[in-house]
Amino acid sequence: MPIRAPRRFLPSLPLLAAFEAAARTGSITQAASELSLTQSAVSRQIKALEGQLGVELFVREKQKIRLTLGGQVYAREIRDALGKISNASLNLLANPAGGTLTLAVPPTFGARWLVPRVPRFLARHPQVSLNILSRLTQFDFRQDVIDAAIYFGAPQWTGVDMELLRGETVIPVCAPELAARHDFRAPADIRRAPLLHLTTRPDAWEHWMRRYGVDDRAVQGMLFDQFSTLFEAAAAGLGVALLPDFLFEEELREGRIVEALPLPHSGDEAYYLCWPGDRDAHRPLALFRDWLLEETAASR
């Protein structure tokens, strides 16, 4: 049975909203305007919160307020908590039956592979509302209002359950004009061309070069934070990029990009579906997990 916190540690939402608005704006006046209250009402609510907690949250300096050190930490955590409550309310309104799944995905994987397949999931499970948010790296499930995530990397994410979805093969690609200009014939020829890099995989080119016996020292080049912009840079002739073949099949087929060399590389990292243990019994997650495993098995 969960332990109930003493009443003094559970202030009312109006008190917390007044404090958060004042902390964020640094002004009682702006907080009052935002909340459609009078300045004196906001001041009273903040005083009431301080009295309930027994801690000063602001330093008052003439007509200005400034957060105490403790107030700064409290404001950040209260802001996160209010955001979770707001998101939970939005999810409830979107699906009063409680069948909402909020999923975090890598942006390009989400846009190019997952979203085009989502209609099949919704056709099978129309009672589920699916929310999809972009995340480039791991995050803390305790701090983010997310039920599950699709993650690319090694199977190392503390405190979560993981299900292997699929591996990935990258190939060196570039614009047709750049390929013709450099006339790549051997792996070492790649070093003569500008190389394009993904910030979340800074050593991808080094892995490829070691795989094919190429000197991997002092590898430099332009940086991009998403595969979508990395692709556009390669298609524009800015250099050679390592891209997952299954995400850019259409562009390769159309000739917007070409293989600089037919030398693929598959590393140890893979795509995983991840979720915190306390979401195991969440019905929409179970339905989505079963469907997603079918889809990834069929597309390998």
Side-chain angles (χ1 to χ4, degrees), residues 56-222:
E56 280 198 352
L57 300 171
F58 288 102
V59 176
R60 277 81 173 175
E61 298 172 331
K62 296 181 181 179
Q63 300 301 314
K64 297 181 180 180
I65 57 171
R66 175 170 51 85
L67 283 167
T68 63
L69 290 177
Q72 292 176 23
V73 176
Y74 191 58
R76 183 168 60 250
E77 295 183 350
I78 290 302
R79 189 171 299 121
D80 290 342
L82 291 175
K84 287 186 176 182
I85 293 171
S86 176
N87 285 332
S89 300
L90 286 172
N91 287 338
L92 178 61
L93 289 173
N95 193 328
T100 298
L101 177 68
T102 300
L103 181 71
V105 299
T108 306
F109 179 90
R112 288 177 167 265
W113 191 92
L114 179 62
V115 170
R117 290 169 168 79
V118 165
R120 293 204 284 268
F121 171 74
L122 296 180
R124 185 185 299 183
H125 303 291
Q127 78 278 18
V128 176
S129 290
L130 185 61
N131 302 321
I132 299 177
L133 308 177
S134 294
R135 294 290 187 277
L136 287 169
T137 57
Q138 290 183 5
F139 55 87
D140 190 342
F141 275 104
R142 296 169 301 177
Q143 302 297 323
D144 217 327
V145 189
I146 288 173
D147 298 305
I150 294 175
Y151 155 75
F152 178 84
Q156 300 168 348
W157 192 339
T158 305
V160 305
D161 295 330
M162 307 183 78
E163 187 82 53
L164 175 65
L165 298 177
R166 60 165 298 149
E168 179 187 85
T169 298
V170 295
I171 54 176
V173 301
C174 61
E177 298 78 13
L178 189 141
R181 185 162 69 250
H182 285 277
D183 190 26
F184 303 112
R185 295 179 181 274
D189 294 342
I190 289 289
R191 292 302 305 261
R192 295 187 282 103
L195 301 181
L196 309 177
H197 304 262
L198 193 68
T199 55
T200 54
R201 306 186 191 184
D203 54 357
W205 271 115
E206 283 85 347
H207 287 305
W208 184 90
M209 290 175 183
R210 286 195 288 272
R211 165 72 175 80
Y212 290 105
V214 178
D215 182 2
D216 65 346
R217 292 173 296 180
V219 179
Q220 300 174 346
M222 296 177 66

Side-chain angles (χ1 to χ4, degrees), residues 9-32:
F9 298 127
L10 295 173
S12 68
L13 281 177
L15 300 189
L16 295 175
F19 164 68
E20 190 280 329
R24 176 166 37 79
T25 62
S27 166
I28 296 292
T29 301
Q30 291 185 48

